[in-house]
Structure formats: structure tokens, C-alpha cells
Amino acid sequence: MIAPAWGHTARALFAFHGGEGLGRARKFKTARALAAAWEEYKAWCDDRQAMTHGFSSKNSEFVSKKLKRSVTYTIEGFCAWAGISRAAFYETYGKQFPDTFTCMREECEIDARMKFELGIVDSRLAPLWMSRYGYGAKTESLPTVPQEDDPITKSLKEAASAVAQAD
């Protein structure tokens, strides 16, 4: 029986993967390739098509129409779009290309904020979405300082007290 040459095969695989181990080959070899894929993903998100259906009482018929919709950018959505797992993305690209990764996260935050501020996404969802970026749903507590009455309210109170004293 002849033993397989495992040592030779393992060395060849190790060399083929650039000496980085026997894991899966990286999808994005450079920060530029990752940034280009991110731009393609953003274009894909901004140009989604949604079919809407409704009844036209004017023509007494059902009407269907394609509408252009926008999807909020997320790292998770990018991973699904690119066909890589989130864990592999954070482990590989988050460490290997930290500047590109930071820009991607910041663009996700800016996109979500913009969609809330423009009313594209319901503002009641803002605490849920924005908590991902470190924002909280805390409300400001204003100090309870007695407020001085405006001139109209002041004159009405004076007139009311004058009428009450006259009685």
C-alpha cells in the first residue's frame, strides 16, 4: 500500500493561499476591492423595485405599479449581498482593512439618520435603528424654573384679580 503524500499537498495548499493557512480564499484582496463592492451594494440598495397593487375607482380596475424604493445600508446586508458570513467579514476585513471598515460603518449610520430625518423610514423606529450606532432614547429633563408670564397673561391675571377684589 502506498501512503499519500499529505505533506506535499498541505505545503502546496499553504503556498497557494499565500501562506495564510488553509481557510477559504478571501473575496476581497485589497481595500480598494472592498470599497468598490461597497459602492455596488449602496447602488443596489438605492435602486430597489417594489410592486404595489391598488384599486382604481376611476377605471374600476386593479392597478399594479413598480415603485423605486431605497433600503437602509447595513454591514449585515452587505455580507448577505456579497455572499460572506458576518463572522468572517468582521474577523477578516474588519481587522485587515480598518479604515475602509470604519467608513462603511459611518456611511450606514449617516444613511439611517438621513432616512429618518427625511421621513423615508418611520421615526418611531429611530431608537431601535440608531441604538446600533451608540445613540440612546433618553429624553432631556429640563430644569423646573418658574417661568415669567408674558404681557398678555400678566394683564389678564391682573384684570381677574381686580374683578375678584371688586366683588
Side-chain angles (χ1 to χ4, degrees), residues 80-97:
W81 178 83
I84 52 179
S85 72
R86 281 187 288 169
F89 178 80
Y90 285 111
E91 183 66 30
T92 305
Y93 303 109
K95 291 179 180 177
Q96 190 169 7
F97 308 124

Side-chain angles (χ1 to χ4, degrees), residues 51-123:
M51 187 68 109
T52 183
H53 308 285
F55 184 75
S56 170
S57 57
K58 180 179 177 183
N59 299 332
S60 298
E61 64 183 4
F62 284 99
V63 180
S64 297
K65 186 176 181 182
K66 281 188 178 181
L67 299 175
K68 184 179 172 186
R69 295 286 186 220
S70 179
V71 177
T72 306
Y73 313 149
T74 61
I75 297 293
E76 294 80 6
F78 173 75
C79 291
W81 178 83
I84 52 179
S85 72
R86 281 187 288 169
F89 178 80
Y90 285 111
E91 183 66 30
T92 305
Y93 303 109
K95 291 179 180 177
Q96 190 169 7
F97 308 124
D99 292 339
T100 306
F101 178 75
T102 301
C103 288
M104 290 168 70
R105 283 208 31 96
E106 289 172 353
E107 286 184 19
C108 289
E109 177 184 346
I110 291 166
D111 178 63
R113 283 193 61 186
M114 181 178 66
K115 287 179 178 161
F116 285 119
E117 291 172 3
L118 294 176
I120 296 170
V121 177
D122 190 348
S123 63

Side-chain angles (χ1 to χ4, degrees), residues 5-79:
W6 292 108
H8 174 69
T9 305
R11 279 193 304 274
L13 283 172
F14 189 74
F16 176 75
H17 289 289
E20 296 180 18
L22 300 176
R24 176 182 254 181
R26 289 175 294 151
K27 194 165 201 119
F28 308 110
K29 306 252 188 268
T30 64
R32 185 170 294 191
L34 178 61
W38 176 249
E39 292 301 321
E40 287 179 39
Y41 167 71
K42 290 190 319 182
W44 180 82
C45 287
D46 291 337
D47 193 33
R48 303 302 308 143
Q49 297 285 323
M51 187 68 109
T52 183
H53 308 285
F55 184 75
S56 170
S57 57
K58 180 179 177 183
N59 299 332
S60 298
E61 64 183 4
F62 284 99
V63 180
S64 297
K65 186 176 181 182
K66 281 188 178 181
L67 299 175
K68 184 179 172 186
R69 295 286 186 220
S70 179
V71 177
T72 306
Y73 313 149
T74 61
I75 297 293
E76 294 80 6
F78 173 75
C79 291

